[in-house]
Amino acid sequence: MKFIIGIGGVTNGGKTTLTGRLIKNLPNCCVVHQDDFFKPQDQIEFGEDGFRQWDVMTAMDMDAMVNTVKGWMENPVKFARSHGVSVSAADDSDPEREIHILIVEGFLLYNYKPLLDVFNKSYYVTIPYEECKRRRSTRNYTVPDPPGLFDGHVWPMYLKHRKEMENNSLDIQYLDGMKSKEELYNQVYEDMQNSLLNAL
């Protein structure tokens, strides 16, 4: 059985930390990080706000991302092995009961139509403006944030995309990113276990 989980949400909300913990504790689990599909800096256009447009869909090679997800869907075992993920031995009596999980993690997961149909479960981490700005200011990025980027580009784009996403009528479970890492993980892990049991 194949199961795809989306973990989306606001920048610095805790998506990657949560994903990292889930990977360690879910069986046959692989991950696709949206951040791995950013285009090179020289291909990121400047917007009317005066900033390079990192926080929009065109900043990423979404075709490559979708193809990566499809590669997993076609052959999760081969995908896992090629990404260094050990796969538990198949139960010969009933290979259908063997579970393979893919976590797709990123800040713009639920705004790209070709991806919407693949998720069995969709989570979205939110944190308030002040906390998001505080966390963002403490992070070191390969391409550092220019002054004013958060208020001039990052947050307005987040609000815009969140509104678009909510209009897509996808069944999304919202997570409170202000909870402790432990609480967030336990909430999602328990929910996942229930979903997997129901799907079997």
Side-chain angles (χ1 to χ4, degrees):
M1 184 183 80
K2 292 181 270 200
F3 204 86
I4 301 184
I5 309 163
I7 297 185
V10 65
T11 175
N12 297 281
K15 302 180 295 296
T16 312
T17 308
L18 174 61
T19 299
R21 288 201 61 179
L22 289 167
I23 293 165
K24 289 192 183 94
N25 296 294
L26 291 169
N28 302 331
C29 188
C30 294
V31 65
V32 171
H33 294 287
Q34 190 171 33
D35 283 1
D36 292 342
F37 295 90
F38 272 111
K39 293 174 183 171
Q41 185 176 349
D42 59 7
Q43 290 180 27
I44 307 293
E45 295 170 4
F46 282 92
E48 289 173 13
D49 56 19
F51 296 108
R52 280 194 194 269
Q53 302 294 291
W54 288 105
D55 287 62
V56 296
M57 202 64 79
T58 52
M60 282 161 291
D61 186 345
M62 292 303 293
D63 289 345
M65 183 172 172
V66 169
N67 287 337
T68 304
V69 172
K70 283 183 178 163
W72 179 88
M73 289 164 81
E74 282 160 19
N75 192 335
V77 174
K78 184 179 168 192
F79 184 97
R81 291 194 175 125
S82 71
H83 287 76
V85 175
S86 57
V87 179
S88 59
D91 177 359
D92 294 334
S93 62
D94 188 1
E96 278 304 299
R97 289 187 68 82
E98 187 180 51
I99 296 170
H100 292 277
I101 299 170
L102 179 69
I103 297 179
V104 183
E105 180 263 330
F107 72 106
L108 270 183
L109 292 189
Y110 309 129
N111 296 71
Y112 192 64
K113 293 278 191 290
L115 270 182
L116 295 184
D117 298 338
V118 306
F119 299 112
N120 298 95
K121 198 87 194 161
S122 305
Y123 298 100
Y124 192 86
V125 187
T126 64
I127 52 175
Y129 164 83
E130 287 80 9
E131 177 65 10
C132 187
K133 188 170 184 175
R134 187 191 69 73
R135 290 187 193 180
R136 178 97 182 190
S137 69
T138 61
R139 285 275 293 274
N140 288 320
Y141 288 96
T142 322
V143 181
D145 282 357
L149 181 76
F150 185 82
D151 287 319
H153 177 64
V154 174
W155 192 255
M157 285 299 151
Y158 159 67
L159 295 176
K160 174 179 179 275
H161 290 124
R162 180 164 172 178
K163 195 170 176 196
E164 280 173 12
M165 169 189 91
E166 287 167 352
N167 293 336
N168 280 336
S169 64
L170 193 66
D171 182 18
I172 294 171
Q173 190 172 335
Y174 290 89
L175 303 171
D176 178 1
M178 296 299 280
K179 286 184 176 175
S180 72
K181 291 172 184 173
E182 198 65 30
E183 282 179 292
L184 261 185
Y185 165 74
N186 289 336
Q187 181 185 346
V188 174
Y189 185 75
E190 282 167 26
D191 189 55
M192 277 295 314
Q193 295 293 4
N194 292 335
S195 301
L196 290 167
L197 286 172
N198 292 333
L200 282 173

